Amino acid sequence: MNRFIPYSHQYIDQDDIDAVVRVLRSDYITQGPNVDVFENALCRYTGAKYAVAVSSGTAALHIACLAAGIKARDEVITSPITFLASANSVLYCGGRPVFADVQHDTINIDPKEIKTKIHKKTKALIPVHFAGHPCDMEEISAIADRNGLVVIEDAAHAVGAEYKGSKIGACKYSDMTIFSFHPVKSITTGEGGAVLTNKKDLYEKLLMLRSHGISRDRLRFVCQDQRLTGSWYYEMQCLGFNYRITDIQSALGLSQLKKLNTFVIRRRQIAETYNKKLCGIEDILLPVERSYVSSSYHIYCIRTRDPKDRTPLFNILRASGIGAQVHYIPVYLQPYYKQLGYAKGLCRKAEEFYGGEISIPMYPAIREREIDYVVKKIAGFFGAGW
């Protein structure tokens, strides 16, 4: 193979390019009409009532935590197998992330482990739909209801996935759901993200938090003296941020959203191909998909049964022009988190998973001969032949 095969890659076609060019030739390139159109399209796709598009998935998590009222000394339970932003967003608010161990098969946060971590300081749960496989949201929602907790779904991996017949993002079992539109995700806006919710009060908070805490809603003004509140008037009512998405990004997102179902179908086809071609290699474990979900397969994870095999296999794949990756180092093992008092051994299953995990190439434009090449290199490492 002469071509480097990345672990993931965006798919951009002429329709996407044309959509962006139209905005560049228009009057609006930052905040403009495409932002609202994109948000409405996200609502139609997922079934959620409200969507707030923002500058990144991290920004989405941050304002979701703020809207949920996370503050100093509050605790929020999340998964250790995730990108840093899931936990960092709690720290941004002054809260403390609490890590609950994962299920052995899905690598999603284990509801049984959540129950053991709840006490009087717990304010919210952030379940992470790892690799595009939804968590058991019905059980997690029931736990939250019994304990008066806010639920924020981290669906950065799961745009296009389904859980028990509902699109992820519908917020059927949560207060808010966040998406990421980074280039390696199901659809891309370059950088970008969104928060979806069915609750109007949260929606109104999210809108202000996205843009410096500003309100332009006359009915919500603190000052009701009409002599002082002309059409130019606005109020900063809380400490917000510049997390706005642009019209350029929104136009790209709209164009990408039209292809989302096609992207997910292709990802599922690739996963099925990998499953068939790798299932005979006894030295690795393959991803699972429970009967009540439809995974979006953001990534395809294999696991070496012997942790000693992971690094040599990873190195051979990389040396062969295959962009293998590892998802993820458990968050609490990072030096910054160790300084906060977290220690190795906190989540045994998460650490075992990390010890053997390799993500192999998964993206819509990967070619069949490239899939065969990846499989051949993995089989050859274990002497399985293919």
Side-chain angles (χ1 to χ4, degrees), residues 60-285:
L61 278 163
H62 185 194
I63 65 171
C65 286
L66 288 169
I70 306 304
K71 57 186 184 303
R73 291 181 292 279
D74 286 339
E75 294 188 351
V76 178
I77 300 171
T78 192
S79 170
I81 300 296
T82 184
F83 184 58
L84 300 167
S86 308
N88 286 355
S89 296
V90 179
L91 295 179
Y92 299 159
C93 299
R96 180 175 175 81
V98 173
F99 297 100
D101 211 347
V102 297
Q103 297 168 327
H104 175 73
D105 55 354
T106 67
I107 316 304
N108 283 330
I109 193 168
D110 189 335
K112 296 184 181 65
E113 294 291 327
I114 290 175
K115 292 177 185 177
T116 69
K117 303 290 184 176
I118 293 172
H119 59 72
K120 62 182 181 180
K121 291 184 180 179
T122 309
K123 183 68 176 283
L125 310 176
I126 303 180
V128 179
H129 302 314
F130 179 71
H133 188 294
C135 300
D136 190 348
M137 291 308 304
E138 189 169 20
E139 186 170 357
I140 290 171
S141 176
I143 293 169
D145 287 346
R146 287 195 296 270
N147 293 276
L149 306 177
V150 177
V151 179
I152 302 168
E153 294 178 67
D154 184 340
H157 290 191
V159 182
E162 296 182 8
Y163 173 79
K164 295 189 176 181
S166 295
K167 289 286 187 188
I168 293 297
C171 299
K172 186 174 181 180
Y173 301 100
S174 65
D175 298 279
M176 289 172 277
T177 300
I178 75 94
F179 286 160
S180 170
F181 306 129
H182 184 274
V184 299
K185 301 303 196 300
S186 299
I187 63 171
T188 187
T189 58
E191 287 283 357
V195 189
L196 295 97
T197 185
N198 293 324
K199 298 185 175 182
K200 189 176 181 181
D201 61 331
L202 290 175
Y203 172 63
E204 290 172 345
K205 289 179 184 177
L206 292 164
L207 287 175
M208 286 200 296
L209 289 165
R210 172 177 69 179
S211 187
H212 300 285
I214 289 172
S215 175
R216 298 181 185 275
D217 183 350
R218 184 171 297 277
L219 296 177
R220 296 174 59 88
F221 287 163
V222 173
C223 177
Q224 288 296 320
D225 187 340
Q226 294 185 8
R227 295 172 299 175
L228 303 176
T229 56
S231 58
W232 48 268
Y233 187 76
Y234 60 89
E235 289 184 348
M236 177 183 162
Q237 297 182 342
C238 66
L239 183 60
F241 302 85
N242 183 358
Y243 283 164
R244 296 176 301 221
I245 198 169
T246 68
D247 240 39
I248 299 170
Q249 293 170 290
S250 297
L252 177 56
L254 275 165
S255 182
Q256 288 266 298
L257 192 57
K258 294 174 184 176
K259 296 184 278 282
L260 177 54
N261 288 339
T262 302
F263 289 162
V264 173
I265 289 169
R266 175 61 181 148
R267 286 176 176 274
R268 292 181 60 78
Q269 289 171 343
I270 295 164
E272 184 178 354
T273 300
Y274 275 138
N275 288 342
K276 288 178 180 178
K277 294 183 175 184
L278 292 171
C279 66
I281 303 175
E282 295 182 356
D283 297 285
I284 59 174
L285 295 170

Side-chain angles (χ1 to χ4, degrees), residues 279-337:
C279 66
I281 303 175
E282 295 182 356
D283 297 285
I284 59 174
L285 295 170
L286 303 181
V288 304
E289 184 179 45
R290 293 192 177 179
S291 60
Y292 50 81
V293 309
S294 178
S295 176
S296 59
Y297 282 102
H298 162 57
I299 50 179
Y300 187 93
C301 303
I302 64 171
R303 284 183 271 175
T304 60
R305 290 185 185 273
D306 186 342
K308 294 178 182 177
D309 288 334
R310 196 270 298 276
T311 299
L313 174 57
F314 180 90
N315 290 340
I316 282 177
L317 293 176
R318 281 292 184 96
S320 301
I322 297 167
Q325 190 55 273
V326 172
H327 296 92
Y328 291 100
I329 303 168
V331 174
Y332 59 81
L333 294 182
Q334 295 291 342
Y336 184 84
Y337 278 81

